[in-house]
Amino acid sequence: MKILKNLSLILAALFISACLFAQTADEIISKHVDAIGGQDKLNSITSIRMEGTADMMGNEAPTTTTVLTGKGFRNESEFNGQKVVRVYTDKGGWMINPFAGSDDPQALPDEQYKAGEDQIYVDPLFDYAARGGKAELLGQEKVGDVNAYKIKLTNKDNSSNTFYIDPNTFYVIQIVTTTSMMGQTMDVTTNLSDQKKIDFGIVVPQTIKVSIGDQFSMTSKLTKIDINQPVDASIFEMKK
């Protein structure tokens, strides 16, 4: 009887495991899209503008992120009077980083641009296949206390990001990008938390922590969000 009981437990565990891995990347992404607002709602978004505060090494700074869907992404923060700007468009990317020794706009290295170009979309996972991307389910992996689905998303330029999705909420809770900075290859880890549905009807993380290897981290907290407000496309242009 004991042998039969143990065998039953083993078979049950195998059945549950098989059910988990029977899900495909597309099925999980579809549930994610539904969880954050649904396809129709996401398709209706033409622009997003978010304001917040960023804490970097004990220094608090205002930060603004603007997305013009499919056209441009711009993030800017001001620390001690110095403005840091990072921009991606459908054609290229650039940044201003006075802490790296220059106040002039500099084109992003090709590898960095390809790794971040999908930020010009509301959600990189949404409608990824139509943009030439590929998604692969790599099983599950612990993110804190959550045994998250691990999905590798490779874009049309063959650059990959790994998304970790909570199997209970189907929200993305972590994104890992491997990129090259200052001649070194390192992981950029973005943790998303305090996710709430806003009046427009989509779920947005209120807190975002970005960690670059073991060298640097910055935590941003959302204070205001505007959807579908007019955006001047010239803010994405790199001025000479």
Side-chain angles (χ1 to χ4, degrees), residues 7-182:
L7 182 59
S8 297
L9 291 172
I10 292 170
L11 291 173
L14 290 173
F15 175 76
I16 292 171
S17 177
C19 288
L20 286 173
F21 285 97
Q23 294 195 81
T24 66
D26 280 339
E27 288 171 339
I28 293 167
I29 290 171
S30 178
K31 290 178 180 179
H32 161 69
V33 169
D34 289 342
I36 65 171
Q39 182 173 338
D40 291 344
K41 187 65 71 173
L42 295 181
N43 268 327
S44 72
I45 298 175
T46 58
S47 70
I48 296 180
R49 187 177 187 276
M50 295 177 284
E51 297 178 11
T53 57
D55 186 293
M56 182 175 67
M57 296 180 291
N59 296 312
E60 194 171 274
T63 181
T64 303
T65 298
T66 304
V67 178
L68 185 59
T69 303
K71 297 296 183 182
F73 165 98
R74 179 185 176 111
N75 173 263
E76 59 181 73
S77 305
E78 189 170 332
F79 296 95
N80 299 323
Q82 303 273 23
K83 185 175 287 188
V84 178
V85 180
R86 182 176 290 268
V87 172
Y88 295 92
T89 73
D90 55 342
K91 297 179 176 62
W94 56 274
M95 70 178 300
I96 300 173
N97 186 2
F99 298 103
S102 176
D103 292 324
D104 297 323
Q106 305 287 331
L108 288 175
D110 194 48
E111 183 180 347
Q112 286 189 35
Y113 168 68
K114 290 177 179 178
E117 62 181 314
D118 287 339
Q119 292 182 83
I120 67 175
Y121 301 101
V122 175
D123 184 305
L125 290 171
F126 174 58
D127 214 19
Y128 74 90
R131 302 194 300 272
K134 298 178 182 178
E136 179 184 2
L137 177 60
L138 303 180
Q140 290 180 269
E141 187 174 310
K142 281 280 190 179
V143 178
D145 295 329
V146 178
N147 194 25
Y149 290 118
K150 183 179 181 180
I151 292 179
K152 179 182 179 182
L153 182 68
T154 304
N155 66 18
K156 60 181 175 57
D157 289 320
N158 205 35
S159 183
S160 300
N161 293 292
T162 304
F163 292 77
Y164 295 82
I165 297 177
D166 186 328
N168 298 306
T169 63
F170 286 93
Y171 300 158
V172 172
I173 57 174
Q174 182 172 276
I175 306 168
V176 177
T177 303
T178 301
T179 188
S180 179
M181 290 187 179
M182 296 176 287

